[in-house]
Amino acid sequence: MARPTSLSGFPESLPAGRVVEQQIVDDLRQTFELHGFAGIETRAVEPLSQLLQKGEIDKEVYLLRRLQADADAADSHADPRTLALHFDLTVPFARYVIENSGQLEFPFRRYQIQKVWRGERPQEGRYREFLQADIDVIDRDALPFHYEVELIEVMADAFSLLPLPPMTMRINNRRLMQGFGEGLGLNSAAMTTVLGALDKLDKIGPTAVAELLRERAQLTSPQVDACLALAAIRGHDAGVIEEVGALGVTSELLDQGLAEVALVLDHATAINRPGFTVLADFQVARGLDYYTGTVYETVMSGYEHLGSVCSGGRYDSLASDGRTTYPGVGLSFGVTRALAPLLARGVLASSRSVPTCVLIALPTEVDRPSCGRIAQALRQRGIACEVAPAAVKFGRQIRYAERRGIPFVWFPAAATADGVPAVRDIQAGVQEVADPATWLPPDNERRPRIVTKPE
Amino acid sequence: MARPTSLSGFPESLPAGRVVEQQIVDDLRQTFELHGFAGIETRAVEPLSQLLQKGEIDKEVYLLRRLQADADAADSHADPRTLALHFDLTVPFARYVIENSGQLEFPFRRYQIQKVWRGERPQEGRYREFLQADIDVIDRDALPFHYEVELIEVMADAFSLLPLPPMTMRINNRRLMQGFGEGLGLNSAAMTTVLGALDKLDKIGPTAVAELLRERAQLTSPQVDACLALAAIRGHDAGVIEEVGALGVTSELLDQGLAEVALVLDHATAINRPGFTVLADFQVARGLDYYTGTVYETVMSGYEHLGSVCSGGRYDSLASDGRTTYPGVGLSFGVTRALAPLLARGVLASSRSVPTCVLIALPTEVDRPSCGRIAQALRQRGIACEVAPAAVKFGRQIRYAERRGIPFVWFPAAATADGVPAVRDIQAGVQEVADPATWLPPDNERRPRIVTKPE
């Protein structure tokens, strides 16, 4: 086998990096479950016809074909039964809900932590295979507004456990934007163009956006000014509602949207988790074409260039089988997008590369069974351990542990000068008498832990 | 969206089934880590050229193609850079070891729990997407024999935690079989044919196998009789070694193989975990063409028709980069293969379909923030809870909990006759005064648990 090379866009971690990922996935799961979300996993594939319903993404889909499929079937592009890898967890979730609606209880709170695939050009924060952690609440026919607030609290709780930089969640509201457009006398086609233009503000700046608004959406100068003024408003409290009011635009839908934003901000203040802020920001326009209420985007402090690491919104129809409509609200945390850059920069690392807490030193190969019994006694009390691979000099056995970051070496009676078993704390260089039936490592050494260092 | 149908070969669980799967994966992980195995995850794809090195499987591989790839590139079959989904975890692991050999410590103990894909015809126990849990120890240049014994103990520990039927691990040894052939005067080509024929014993019976041995491998009648006699020997202890000796065939390699089998049986007796048996069985021939020492197969009592649910063996060269050879030994547990039939039959189920332990009853919508604070207080002590979705009659709120199997409903002060908060045990129908800062559910109700029932 020639030395293989890594594939661009398909990140893989060394064991120490995997410790960090796994701990973060565990913390996410724990938080989601504490909030009553049930975990599901869907298959990795969907029929292409199902995936293409969300049209804009089609160019990024990976199609599947069996190597030994018939030549006729090989031109599978045209066949709607062709399978493709899912590119997000929302489409498979909607399909799962419709498929199992008779056996699910609504409202259905679910989380889903799985890989997704997109054939995009890879760059930092953008991968071809990446891990997403989604939470959604979906109901039948109607979904109460309070879930649009509750989901923020769930993610805030998750982020407060995770060793990540501070997060700012920027929110906007489809009704507010739509209502603002109505108040300005814009029809819905014009408003779609306006939202598309506002979405470019960060990239091309207000002058160029103003030109787009005038030329493509046929807005008058006062309309352009009002849109740009709205998009410039941001804040953490009800002050933003007053600022919008001061623009002098009114409509019933706008009032409704403003009231919803006020409720979200009010609750966000009450949540008050360290390192987590909610910011109303009426420039946020992504997804406003399919979301119908609150929309969310989240940037990680110092890593704004990654874009949003946690996005979502409310859908009035997340799924529908023709007879029944299922409204939902969801948030999707991009685990790989947030984590891979931190791991690559060494901002997050693991205290050791193996789960092993104790290496049992092996005096001679004949002692392997008795050393195995010591290991078993420790394992029964939840202490990860392994017996040394070979009965070499103890100095080499200690170095085996050191190279892996294993914090303790256990010396059985046959290995100590006084014939009494002892455990050595490698870092401290201290050795003490120990009984495998009662000895305990310090809590912070029991498992590998995440260590953070400033960049 | 028309009601979608499930895809044959791509099993998905309802939330209650997923509780079972997740618990079993957690138990596997915990066991592997207690034994010092580091977890890794590899990407889902490998270059096709990498996968095809293990030739026999090629017809089952799923190729990938981007929907918008160039027409020229579409005929990707011939292009070695074409990506395909991995069909096991051994090939990706070997590639990972070669790719990262400079950054790994050897011997390297790793576990890997991931989905794999094969385009096989689906049937019970055989899927197109399924979960595997692999453990391997890999070393540089040489790997001590004791790992061939140690891996059995790791899986025995895992199985002793899992709510599965009793497991019988059948072992054989390549050296023993090869040495027996040498003792009979068979060359290695003939021996390969012999192993292939013995592998068919269960299907076609000894008479037909005898015919194959005579006609395809050109064996004499005494040679045929010796092979069939060997394949009929099975047992839990050193008695099998004597039985082989009684066949009167001798060679150095056979003695070595017999000694290894004796060591494995000896240790297996010492392991002595409930519901787990090791059986030497010289009919086991699967994989003897690429394994070089001990080989393992495991059948689940009452589910023998599924075939082996945990297989593996020792490779003298699990990976090689041309300069360095990496011998290894591994076992692969087929999580989906073992579990899906048990879930489908209802032998394994979950005590509830949601993680929620407590539903906080909601007197009026105005009480949502204060009910949220009760929920938060419970969560901070690790109790999963959710606030009722709507302030409907308490009878309906209790039924919401009942339908999901949520064991407790919390009534805030505003909801009780005496103005004192109380918690209701739904199953027992008992309500008692409770303080969210101190109340604890019984340990066995804290999380959903696996319930087993006889088929």
Side-chain angles (χ1 to χ4, degrees):
Chain A
M1 192 187 300
R3 182 170 294 271
T5 52
S6 63
L7 287 178
S8 176
F10 291 88
E12 281 182 339
S13 291
L14 286 167
R18 179 66 194 150
V19 169
V20 177
E21 289 172 2
Q22 184 69 65
Q23 182 60 54
I24 280 172
V25 167
D26 287 348
D27 287 345
L28 289 167
R29 227 180 96 191
Q30 186 196 322
T31 304
F32 299 160
E33 293 185 353
L34 282 174
H35 281 268
F37 286 72
I40 68 164
E41 268 196 11
T42 56
R43 62 195 187 216
V45 303
E46 299 292 335
L48 182 59
S49 55
Q50 197 88 18
L51 293 181
L52 293 190
Q53 295 183 340
K54 213 176 176 185
E56 54 173 337
I57 204 106
D58 62 356
K59 68 176 174 304
E60 303 164 356
V61 173
Y62 279 113
L63 302 182
L64 257 59
R65 179 164 61 87
R66 280 187 298 136
L67 180 54
Q68 300 296 323
D70 300 339
D72 289 352
D75 182 29
S76 51
H77 189 139
D79 185 341
R81 290 164 307 176
T82 297
L83 298 179
L85 294 175
H86 57 217
F87 57 79
D88 72 3
L89 301 177
T90 305
V91 173
F93 174 55
R95 189 263 312 153
Y96 178 94
V97 165
I98 300 284
E99 188 176 324
N100 300 296
S101 59
Q103 291 157 281
L104 298 173
E105 295 292 340
F106 294 94
F108 177 41
R109 307 156 76 86
R110 88 87 175 76
Y111 75 89
Q112 194 170 347
I113 305 178
Q114 282 186 262
K115 298 273 176 63
V116 306
W117 294 269
R118 294 185 188 179
E120 294 188 343
R121 187 183 298 273
Q123 62 185 72
E124 188 178 46
R126 184 158 299 188
Y127 307 97
R128 295 189 148 186
E129 174 177 69
F130 52 103
L131 190 67
Q132 295 280 107
D134 279 28
I135 49 173
D136 286 87
V137 180
I138 192 165
D139 206 344
R140 236 175 342 218
D141 304 323
L143 179 81
F145 169 75
H146 64 78
Y147 289 115
E148 292 173 52
V149 176
E150 191 179 332
L151 283 203
I152 300 175
E153 185 175 1
V154 181
M155 277 296 178
D157 272 354
F159 290 142
S160 71
L161 276 185
L162 304 182
L164 301 176
M167 297 280 184
T168 300
M169 183 177 275
R170 301 157 72 212
I171 62 149
N172 197 354
N173 186 293
R174 163 72 174 272
R175 286 184 233 275
L176 185 152
M177 300 302 281
Q178 200 75 27
F180 193 83
E182 283 181 22
L184 285 176
L186 302 176
N187 64 26
S188 105
M191 201 53 207
T192 301
T193 313
V194 169
L195 292 174
L198 292 182
D199 200 25
K200 298 193 170 70
L201 259 173
D202 278 342
K203 267 191 200 148
I204 63 175
T207 314
V209 168
E211 203 174 302
L212 283 179
L213 293 179
R214 267 189 301 268
E215 297 191 355
R216 294 221 191 129
Q218 309 285 319
L219 262 57
T220 63
S221 283
Q223 286 172 331
V224 168
D225 292 347
C227 286
L228 288 176
L230 177 69
I233 296 172
R234 63 206 57 179
H236 300 282
D237 57 36
V240 297
I241 313 300
E242 285 169 39
E243 287 186 62
V244 175
L247 300 179
V249 178
T250 57
S251 81
E252 204 177 309
L253 197 58
L254 174 60
D255 286 347
Q256 203 184 330
L258 285 169
E260 291 186 355
V261 169
L263 275 170
V264 171
L265 289 177
D266 204 42
H267 189 78
T269 308
I271 290 176
N272 192 30
R273 303 283 189 278
F276 181 79
T277 315
V278 174
L279 182 75
D281 183 340
F282 304 128
Q283 185 188 324
V284 171
R286 201 195 63 95
L288 281 178
D289 44 342
Y290 45 87
Y291 293 126
T292 56
T294 308
V295 297
Y296 316 87
E297 279 194 6
T298 311
V299 290
M300 203 160 69
S301 176
Y303 295 84
E304 289 80 2
H305 66 283
L306 297 178
S308 176
V309 297
C310 184
S311 310
R314 181 206 171 94
Y315 301 86
D316 280 341
S317 174
L318 177 55
S320 169
D321 60 9
R323 290 173 318 182
T324 310
T325 292
Y326 298 86
V329 57
L331 273 171
S332 177
F333 173 53
V335 182
T336 306
R337 171 173 284 194
L339 224 56
L342 296 171
L343 287 169
R345 285 167 167 77
V347 176
L348 296 182
S350 171
S351 61
R352 56 184 193 254
S353 65
V354 294
T356 315
C357 176
V358 180
L359 177 75
I360 318 291
L362 184 68
T364 70
E365 198 55 44
V366 173
D367 297 307
R368 189 168 291 282
S370 65
C371 287
R373 285 190 292 275
I374 295 170
Q376 188 63 11
L378 292 173
R379 279 181 204 121
Q380 276 167 356
R381 294 187 299 109
I383 302 164
C385 53
E386 54 181 288
V387 177
V392 293
K393 283 185 183 161
F394 288 136
R396 279 185 62 195
Q397 298 193 37
I398 291 171
R399 279 197 294 283
Y400 173 97
E402 268 174 336
R403 277 199 304 272
R404 288 159 176 79
I406 298 173
F408 297 98
V409 176
W410 190 279
F411 292 99
T416 61
D418 50 5
V420 178
V423 66
R424 183 185 182 87
D425 178 333
I426 298 186
Q427 189 107 48
V430 177
Q431 191 161 322
E432 56 174 25
V433 170
D435 177 349
T438 56
W439 178 81
L440 281 177
D443 266 355
N444 68 342
E445 293 288 15
R446 193 180 263 265
R447 288 187 185 78
R449 57 182 194 283
I450 299 180
V451 288
T452 57
K453 61 172 183 201
E455 203 179 333
Chain B
M1 191 188 297
R3 182 170 293 272
T5 51
S6 63
L7 287 178
S8 175
F10 292 87
E12 281 183 339
S13 291
L14 286 166
R18 179 67 193 149
V19 169
V20 177
E21 288 171 6
Q22 184 68 65
Q23 182 61 54
I24 281 172
V25 167
D26 287 348
D27 287 345
L28 289 166
R29 227 180 96 191
Q30 187 196 320
T31 304
F32 300 160
E33 293 185 353
L34 280 174
H35 282 269
F37 285 73
I40 68 163
E41 268 197 10
T42 56
R43 62 195 189 218
V45 303
E46 297 293 335
L48 182 60
S49 55
Q50 197 87 20
L51 292 181
L52 292 190
Q53 296 184 340
K54 213 177 176 183
E56 53 174 337
I57 204 104
D58 62 356
K59 68 177 175 304
E60 303 163 357
V61 173
Y62 280 113
L63 303 183
L64 257 58
R65 178 163 63 86
R66 279 187 301 135
L67 180 55
Q68 301 295 325
D70 301 339
D72 289 354
D75 181 29
S76 51
H77 190 139
D79 185 340
R81 290 165 309 176
T82 298
L83 298 180
L85 294 175
H86 57 218
F87 56 80
D88 73 2
L89 302 177
T90 305
V91 174
F93 174 55
R95 189 264 312 153
Y96 178 96
V97 166
I98 300 283
E99 187 176 325
N100 300 297
S101 60
Q103 291 156 282
L104 298 174
E105 294 292 342
F106 294 94
F108 178 41
R109 307 157 76 85
R110 88 86 174 76
Y111 75 89
Q112 193 170 347
I113 305 177
Q114 281 186 262
K115 298 272 175 63
V116 306
W117 293 269
R118 295 185 188 179
E120 293 190 342
R121 187 182 298 274
Q123 61 186 73
E124 188 178 47
R126 184 158 299 189
Y127 307 98
R128 295 188 149 187
E129 174 177 68
F130 52 102
L131 190 68
Q132 294 281 107
D134 278 28
I135 49 174
D136 284 87
V137 180
I138 192 164
D139 206 344
R140 236 178 338 223
D141 303 323
L143 179 81
F145 169 74
H146 65 77
Y147 289 115
E148 293 173 52
V149 175
E150 191 179 331
L151 284 202
I152 300 175
E153 185 176 1
V154 181
M155 277 295 178
D157 271 355
F159 290 144
S160 72
L161 276 184
L162 304 182
L164 300 177
M167 297 280 184
T168 300
M169 183 176 275
R170 300 157 72 212
I171 62 148
N172 197 354
N173 186 291
R174 163 73 173 271
R175 287 185 233 274
L176 185 151
M177 299 302 281
Q178 200 76 25
F180 193 83
E182 284 181 20
L184 283 177
L186 301 177
N187 64 25
S188 106
M191 201 54 206
T192 302
T193 314
V194 168
L195 292 174
L198 292 181
D199 200 23
K200 297 192 172 71
L201 259 173
D202 278 341
K203 267 192 200 146
I204 63 175
T207 314
V209 168
E211 202 174 303
L212 284 178
L213 294 178
R214 267 190 301 267
E215 298 192 354
R216 295 223 189 126
Q218 309 285 320
L219 263 57
T220 63
S221 283
Q223 286 172 330
V224 169
D225 292 346
C227 287
L228 288 178
L230 178 69
I233 295 172
R234 64 206 55 181
H236 301 281
D237 56 38
V240 297
I241 313 299
E242 285 170 38
E243 287 186 63
V244 175
L247 298 180
V249 179
T250 55
S251 81
E252 204 178 310
L253 197 58
L254 174 60
D255 286 347
Q256 203 183 332
L258 284 169
E260 290 186 356
V261 168
L263 276 170
V264 171
L265 289 177
D266 204 40
H267 189 77
T269 308
I271 291 177
N272 191 29
R273 302 284 189 277
F276 181 79
T277 314
V278 174
L279 181 75
D281 183 340
F282 304 127
Q283 186 188 323
V284 172
R286 200 194 64 94
L288 282 177
D289 43 343
Y290 44 87
Y291 293 125
T292 56
T294 308
V295 297
Y296 316 88
E297 279 194 5
T298 313
V299 290
M300 203 159 67
S301 176
Y303 295 84
E304 290 78 3
H305 65 283
L306 297 177
S308 176
V309 296
C310 184
S311 309
R314 181 205 171 95
Y315 301 85
D316 279 341
S317 174
L318 177 54
S320 169
D321 60 8
R323 288 174 318 183
T324 311
T325 292
Y326 298 85
V329 56
L331 272 171
S332 177
F333 173 52
V335 182
T336 307
R337 171 173 287 195
L339 224 55
L342 296 171
L343 287 170
R345 286 168 167 75
V347 176
L348 295 181
S350 171
S351 61
R352 57 186 195 251
S353 65
V354 294
T356 314
C357 177
V358 180
L359 177 75
I360 318 291
L362 185 68
T364 71
E365 198 54 44
V366 173
D367 298 307
R368 189 170 291 282
S370 65
C371 287
R373 286 191 291 276
I374 295 170
Q376 187 63 12
L378 292 172
R379 279 182 204 120
Q380 276 167 357
R381 294 186 300 109
I383 302 164
C385 54
E386 55 181 286
V387 177
V392 292
K393 284 187 181 156
F394 288 135
R396 278 185 62 195
Q397 298 193 35
I398 291 171
R399 278 197 296 282
Y400 172 99
E402 269 174 334
R403 276 199 304 272
R404 289 160 177 79
I406 299 173
F408 298 98
V409 176
W410 190 279
F411 292 98
T416 61
D418 52 5
V420 177
V423 66
R424 183 186 184 87
D425 179 333
I426 297 186
Q427 190 106 50
V430 177
Q431 191 161 322
E432 56 173 24
V433 171
D435 178 348
T438 55
W439 178 81
L440 281 178
D443 266 356
N444 69 342
E445 293 288 12
R446 192 178 263 265
R447 287 185 186 79
R449 58 181 193 284
I450 298 180
V451 287
T452 56
K453 61 173 183 201
E455 202 178 333

